[in-house]
Amino acid sequence: MPIKLTLTLLLTAAALAAPAHAQSTTPAQLLAGYEAAAGAPARAERGQAFFTSRQGGEWSCASCHGQRPTSAGRHAVTAKSIDALAPAFNPKAFTDERRVEKWFRRNCKDVAQRECTPGEKADVLAWLQTLR
């Protein structure tokens, strides 16, 4: 087998075997993307209201994350510890776009019985960024 083909096959196999890399981001970048998708600026007060209120389900976001998600929360069913959600209290929060989208999708379905809109995500993230 020619060396070039062998090298190409080895590199392809290595790429397929490597774990998928997280999409690094910042809370500010995510917020800008959600605002752009929503076509409107985020409003922190709406985010706080969404976070602390039931949205049609039996839980609110605060049911697991706490009214002020600046310290560890606890899952309402499993009692599993949940890291602080506010970026100022958890430097890892909102830094992996895939993970953020996974948890928004899952948690919004639990809380609102649907996926959250980009505007709702923007509002919640804007509020979380105000917490110091």
Side-chain angles (χ1 to χ4, degrees):
M1 187 178 303
I3 189 86
K4 189 174 181 181
L5 179 58
T6 302
L7 185 57
T8 301
L9 289 173
L10 286 172
L11 290 173
T12 302
L16 292 174
H21 292 286
Q23 291 179 301
S24 294
T25 191
T26 66
Q29 290 170 324
L30 283 172
L31 179 58
Y34 293 141
E35 287 177 324
R43 291 191 29 219
E45 64 277 1
R46 274 193 319 231
Q48 181 180 15
F50 184 92
F51 191 91
T52 57
S53 303
R54 289 185 180 176
Q55 302 297 317
E58 64 181 273
W59 298 331
S60 68
C61 304
S63 298
C64 296
H65 294 284
Q67 292 291 315
R68 272 184 68 81
T70 56
S71 59
R74 188 151 311 277
H75 191 277
V77 174
T78 66
K80 181 180 175 184
S81 181
I82 302 171
D83 291 337
L85 195 57
F89 296 84
N90 179 359
K92 293 180 186 175
F94 299 96
T95 58
D96 179 339
E97 186 175 356
R98 287 183 186 153
R99 185 176 167 92
V100 169
E101 283 304 308
K102 169 188 167 183
W103 286 106
F104 259 133
R105 189 171 36 260
R106 186 176 288 178
N107 291 339
C108 288
K109 286 184 179 179
D110 285 344
V111 170
Q113 276 68 69
R114 60 176 173 75
E115 290 194 28
C116 289
T117 67
E120 289 166 335
K121 294 175 188 179
D123 292 343
V124 167
L125 184 51
W127 174 63
L128 291 172
Q129 290 189 90
T130 69
L131 300 176
R132 302 275 179 231

